């Protein structure tokens, strides 16, 4: 989707605030939102659907509201969409239905243990052989599509070289539709001058992970 | 079940835009309140998660990974071959460490990490991402003018030093291994870890200083 989230290479932003304090959270609500996102999600929500919901936030909100506010809005929207709670229940703070269960209380070590268990993997076995090999030159798709995709606009219709094969990974574009289809995934390196023209430094490069269907032999 | 229908989500966003309180703290509070009511969240668990990420899980984990890589060539080889396994070995597995890749700076090259499409970050070893990492300014510019962004962070590179930008577009996450400073041969791993800044592991810091910790 050619949305506001696809920021790579867009002009008009900056400078970067390099003097931000180093504390992990700059407000209490940030930590609470992070923690809620670790512990509660709507059933059958995929990471790609969640990301797509965030991409669909109104452009003015996406750019102007604080970062963890966008997480709150994304999680709220995902839960209303999946029927976890209604807008009325959210606004009143009162559930109209009895709870389906109660999560257990965990202590500090319990949280550490749960955290360790969250090193999720996205590689899956597939039968089809990989189409491309390391060292091969590839051309990326010229067009995107209206759904969730991980081929950014700046890397479309560009020629790059495959530097690594990463196995077959759950394909993000389908994940956002609730489907689990694995596709071969490659790290593709693009020269900065290929992406940005002759003003870029000829020594520089940008690498992206790209699924097989984003690529054609060149 | 989710609808997986973007049109439905757009309508929900529009409703939330005009009906939710403007203060983000009140929005998060409303979410926590209804999830507690639904039995899906316990506020004391939320407190504990915040504590864990404030105290235990943060860039000092990544700094220990880097220090060990500097001090122990066998570990460094394992880290470069399979970052996920190597951090698991140190007890540091967690969110976004499932496909971890370490990339090493050299005198001739510099690595810097971004997620232009959202804000992917190796939480398990670096903790919470700094806010600047998630801003439009960083995400838009670091792929296009990395040297200008690095200069804002105080990193000056010669024209000959190659800059490699890693845009985290899938589930791979990157850890930059900065160069080990000179005259640190006698330091223990704990002492070395104190030299490693969070930004150096993202790539917005380069020349680590002895005695800056």
């Amino acid at each position: 989707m050619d949305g506001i989230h696809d920021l790579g290479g867009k002009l008009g932003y900056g400078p970067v605030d390099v003097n931000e304090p180093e504390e992990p959270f700059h407000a209490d609500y940030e930590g609470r939102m992070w923690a809620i996102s670790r512990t509660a999600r709507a059933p059958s929500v995929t990471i790609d659907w969640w990301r797509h919901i965030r991409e669909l936030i109104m452009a003015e909100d996406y750019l102007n509201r604080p970062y963890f506010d966008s997480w709150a809005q994304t999680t709220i929207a995902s839960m209303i969409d999946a029927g976890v709670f209604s807008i009325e229940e959210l606004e009143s703070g009162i559930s109209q239905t009895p709870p389906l269960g109660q999560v257990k209380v965990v202590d500090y070590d319990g949280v550490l243990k749960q955290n360790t268990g969250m090193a999720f993997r996205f590689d899956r076995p597939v039968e089809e052989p990989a189409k491309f090999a390391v060292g091969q030159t590839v051309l990326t798709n010229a067009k995107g599509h209206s759904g969730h995709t991980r081929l950014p606009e700046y890397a479309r219709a560009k020629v790059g070289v495959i530097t690594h094969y990463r196995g077959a990974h759950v394909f993000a574009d389908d994940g956002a539709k609730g489907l689990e289809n694995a596709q071969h995934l490659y790290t593709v390196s693009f020269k900065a001058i290929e992406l940005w023209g002759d003003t870029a430094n000829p020594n520089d490069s940008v690498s992206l992970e790209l699924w097989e269907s984003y690529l054609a032999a060149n | 079940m989710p609808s997986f229908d973007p049109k439905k989500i757009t309508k929900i966003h529009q409703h939330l835009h005009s009906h939710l309180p403007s203060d983000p703290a009140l929005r998060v509070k409303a979410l926590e309140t209804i999830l507690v009511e639904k039995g899906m969240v316990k506020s004391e668990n939320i407190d504990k998660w915040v504590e864990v990420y404030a105290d235990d899980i943060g860039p000092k984990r990544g700094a220990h990974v880097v220090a060990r890589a500097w001090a122990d060539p066998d570990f460094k080889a394992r880290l470069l071959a399979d970052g996920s396994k190597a951090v698991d070995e140190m007890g540091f597995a967690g969110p976004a460490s499932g496909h971890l890749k370490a990339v090493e700076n050299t005198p001739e090259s510099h690595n810097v990490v971004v997620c232009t499409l959202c804000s992917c970050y190796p939480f398990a070893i670096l903790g919470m991402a700094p806010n600047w990492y998630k801003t439009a300014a960083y995400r838009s510019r670091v792929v296009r003018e990395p040297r200008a962004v690095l200069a804002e962070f105080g990193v000056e590179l010669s024209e000959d030093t190659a800059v490699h930008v890693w845009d985290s577009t899938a589930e791979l996450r990157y850890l930059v291994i900065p160069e080990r400073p000179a005259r640190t041969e006698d330091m223990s791993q704990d002492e070395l870890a104190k030299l490693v800044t969070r930004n150096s592991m993202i790539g917005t810091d380069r020349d680590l200083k002895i005695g800056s910790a």
Side-chain angles (χ1 to χ4, degrees), chain A residues 9 20 32 53 61 65 67 69 81 89 95 104 106 108 115 121-122 150 154 203-205 207 209, chain B residues 3 13 17 22 32 37-38 45 47 53 56 98-99 119 131 140 144 147 159 164-165 167 169 174:
Chain A
E20 180 191 332
R32 301 198 81 72
I53 294 173
D61 288 345
R65 294 195 57 87
Y67 180 74
D69 179 79
D81 172 65
E89 288 176 314
S95 176
K104 290 199 179 92
V106 281
Y108 194 92
N115 185 74
R121 293 190 67 94
F122 295 82
R150 301 292 283 184
Y154 79 86
N203 297 314
D204 295 352
S205 68
S207 292
E209 270 73 57
Chain B
S3 69
H13 278 321
H17 172 85
S22 175
E32 184 177 336
E37 276 269 305
K38 295 281 180 189
N45 292 356
D47 298 339
Y53 268 83
D56 250 304
H99 299 278
S119 49
N131 197 54
S140 63
R144 187 168 188 144
R147 290 164 188 270
E159 291 289 306
H164 301 303
V165 183
D167 187 356
T169 46
Y174 286 90

Side-chain angles (χ1 to χ4, degrees), chain B residues 9 39 117-118 140 147 152 162 167 196 203:
Chain B
I9 294 297
L117 292 171
C118 48
S140 63
R147 290 164 188 270
E152 284 168 28
D167 187 356
V196 182

Side-chain angles (χ1 to χ4, degrees), chain B residues 51 57 78 84 130 138 182 209:
Chain B
E51 222 180 299
I57 299 172
R78 293 201 296 283
S84 305
Y138 182 76
K209 289 170 200 71

Side-chain angles (χ1 to χ4, degrees), chain A residues 5-11 13-18 20 22 24-25 29 31-36 38-41 43-45 47 49 51-54 56-58 60-63 65-69 72-73 75-77 79-82 84-85 87 89-91 93-95 97 99 101-108 111-112 114-116 118-123 149-150 152 154 166 169 176-178 185 187 196 201 203-209 211, chain B residues 1-6 8-10 12-17 19-25 27-28 30-57 61 84 88 91 93-99 101 115-120 123 128-132 134-141 143-144 146-147 149 152-153 159-174 198-199:
Chain A
H5 69 285
D6 191 353
L7 283 162
K10 300 285 158 56
L11 299 172
Y13 301 99
V16 178
D17 175 15
V18 299
E20 180 191 332
E22 288 244 348
F25 303 114
Y29 80 85
R32 301 198 81 72
M33 189 56 234
W34 164 254
I36 289 168
R38 292 305 94 189
T39 54
R41 67 195 58 184
S44 306
V45 163
I47 180 65
W49 173 234
R51 287 193 186 123
H52 195 38
I53 294 173
R54 185 160 173 256
L56 290 161
I57 289 176
M58 292 165 68
E60 62 186 272
D61 288 345
Y62 190 94
L63 284 180
R65 294 195 57 87
Y67 180 74
F68 275 106
D69 179 79
Q73 179 147 345
T75 297
I76 288 169
M79 289 185 169
I80 290 171
D81 172 65
V84 173
F85 53 72
I87 289 175
E89 288 176 314
L90 174 74
E91 285 171 351
I94 296 161
S95 176
T97 56
Q102 282 290 345
V103 290
K104 290 199 179 92
V105 175
V106 281
D107 60 13
Y108 194 92
V111 169
L112 279 173
Q114 284 182 1
N115 185 74
T116 305
M118 289 179 182
F120 302 122
R121 293 190 67 94
F122 295 82
D123 50 338
T149 188
R150 301 292 283 184
Y154 79 86
R166 302 301 191 181
H169 282 230
K177 298 172 195 158
L185 182 74
T187 301
W196 315 114
N201 186 309
N203 297 314
D204 295 352
S205 68
V206 182
S207 292
L208 295 82
E209 270 73 57
W211 277 273
Chain B
M1 271 293 284
S3 69
F4 300 107
D5 176 3
K8 186 178 169 200
I9 294 297
T10 298
I12 294 171
H13 278 321
Q14 283 165 347
H15 182 95
L16 295 174
H17 172 85
H19 286 76
L20 283 184
S22 175
D23 180 353
R27 293 174 167 210
V28 174
L31 173 61
E32 184 177 336
T33 302
I34 194 64
L35 289 175
V36 168
E37 276 269 305
K38 295 281 180 189
M40 292 173 68
V41 153
K42 288 240 186 283
S43 287
E44 51 266 57
N45 292 356
I46 300 299
D47 298 339
K48 284 282 170 297
W49 272 90
V50 173
E51 222 180 299
V52 163
Y53 268 83
D55 299 343
D56 250 304
I57 299 172
R61 286 190 160 193
S84 305
D88 190 21
S97 82
H99 299 278
K101 302 293 161 191
C115 171
T116 61
L117 292 171
C118 48
S119 49
C120 300
F123 304 111
M128 302 315 301
N131 197 54
W132 57 255
K134 304 174 279 200
T135 58
Y138 182 76
R139 288 164 50 196
S140 63
R141 292 176 58 221
V143 283
R144 187 168 188 144
R147 290 164 188 270
V149 172
E152 284 168 28
F153 282 95
E159 291 289 306
D160 300 338
T161 308
V163 178
H164 301 303
V165 183
W166 300 86
D167 187 356
S168 320
T169 46
E171 297 301 338
L172 274 65
R173 300 291 169 265
Y174 286 90
R198 177 194 63 198
N199 287 7

